[in-house]
Structure formats: structure tokens, C-alpha cells
Amino acid sequence: MENTSEETPAGWQSLPSWLLTQTASHAHRLVAGGFSAVHARGHHYRLLATLGKYGPASQAALGRGSGIHLSDMVATINELAEGGLVERAPDPADRRRNIISLTVAGKRQLRRLEKRLAETQDELLAPLSPEERQLLTELLSRLLDHHNRRTGTPGEP
């Protein structure tokens, strides 16, 4: 079977689900590569960004705020603590739990990761105008909100 660029793509190649899946794969590769260049992973960014937005928090609150499953939370905190990016301190209200906070180095790393993330967004969305980027974001948000409501998945990461 010969395939040339002039041929009409197979029907499944124009399905929104196929297009979303393929685009998501490219997005994941770009973001993971950008984070890897500064020795980080997606979980690192999500935890640092959550701390940056909400301030010091317990592991459970960080899990809810970042969308990181509690089974991955301890390993993520350990990795960031070993790098000096977060600190653990006993919660004065409940000595059995820890409060996690950003260090100065953690704030610097968060800024580096935000810069990398902005670069990867630009690379991913390069063929779109600013207006098209905004429209795409709005449409994807609407789809995600709809399906999160149907499944009971929280809307906030």
C-alpha cells in the first residue's frame, strides 16, 4: 500500500480523540525534556508550584493541591529535600505530621521550571497565533471540566 502526502488520511487520523492523544504525546515529550534539562520531573514542578501558590502545607494538603497521588508524594518530597529545594518541619498543631515549605533554592528552581515550561508551551503551540492558543486552551478546559464533573474528578490539580 503506497502512502503519499497527497492522499486523504485514514478516517481515524482526523478523529478528535486521535488528534488529542497524538498531541498529548508530543506535549509530554517536550515538557519532560524541558524539565530534564534542569534535572527535574513533572512531579517536582507540580509540588514546587503548589507550595509557591499556597505556601507551606502538609503532605496530604500538597497531594490534594498538586494532584500528586499520596503514594508518589513521599518520594517526590524526599527527592526535593535531598536537593535542598524543600524543608520538612514538624507541624506545631500535630507533631505526628510534617509541614513542607519551599527553600530559597526551591524558589529559584521553581522560576527555572516555569521558564522551561513557558518555552515548551511556545514550542508545542508554535503554529498557532496568540488568539488561537487562547481559544484552544479555553476549548480544552471546557472539555476537561465537563469530563471531570461527570467522573467526579476534582477540577483543581
Side-chain angles (χ1 to χ4, degrees), residues 3-153:
N3 187 7
T4 65
S5 59
E6 291 81 30
E7 290 182 28
T8 303
W12 53 267
Q13 291 176 313
S14 61
L15 292 172
S17 56
W18 169 258
L19 296 168
L20 284 168
T21 301
Q22 296 307 300
T23 304
S25 177
H26 288 290
H28 177 76
R29 180 184 48 78
L30 290 169
V31 170
F35 285 166
S36 176
V38 290
H39 310 291
R41 295 182 298 113
H43 278 110
H44 296 161
Y45 169 72
R46 287 166 51 193
L47 190 123
L48 293 172
T50 302
L51 285 170
K53 181 175 181 178
Y54 298 111
S58 69
Q59 289 178 190
L62 285 172
R64 287 187 300 274
S66 68
I68 299 172
H69 194 275
L70 290 179
S71 64
D72 296 322
M73 182 59 68
V74 173
T76 302
I77 291 170
N78 286 344
E79 291 166 0
L80 294 173
E82 287 170 12
L85 304 176
V86 299
E87 291 178 332
R88 286 185 180 100
D91 183 345
D94 183 350
R95 306 291 277 173
R96 295 170 295 173
R97 91 176 149 189
N98 288 317
I99 298 295
I100 313 303
S101 58
L102 274 176
T103 63
V104 171
K107 290 175 185 175
R108 278 194 306 270
Q109 178 70 340
L110 177 56
R111 286 191 300 274
R112 277 191 293 271
L113 294 174
E114 288 171 337
K115 182 178 184 238
R116 286 290 179 166
L117 195 54
E119 291 166 355
T120 60
Q121 300 306 298
D122 283 341
E123 187 175 349
L124 177 68
L125 302 173
L128 303 179
S129 70
E131 296 78 19
E132 290 170 323
R133 291 176 184 203
Q134 182 176 347
L135 178 59
L136 177 64
T137 300
E138 290 169 4
L139 292 171
L140 290 172
S141 295
R142 190 181 333 160
L143 280 171
L144 185 58
D145 289 345
H146 168 79
H147 290 286
N148 281 346
R149 279 193 306 278
R150 289 185 62 206
T151 62
T153 305

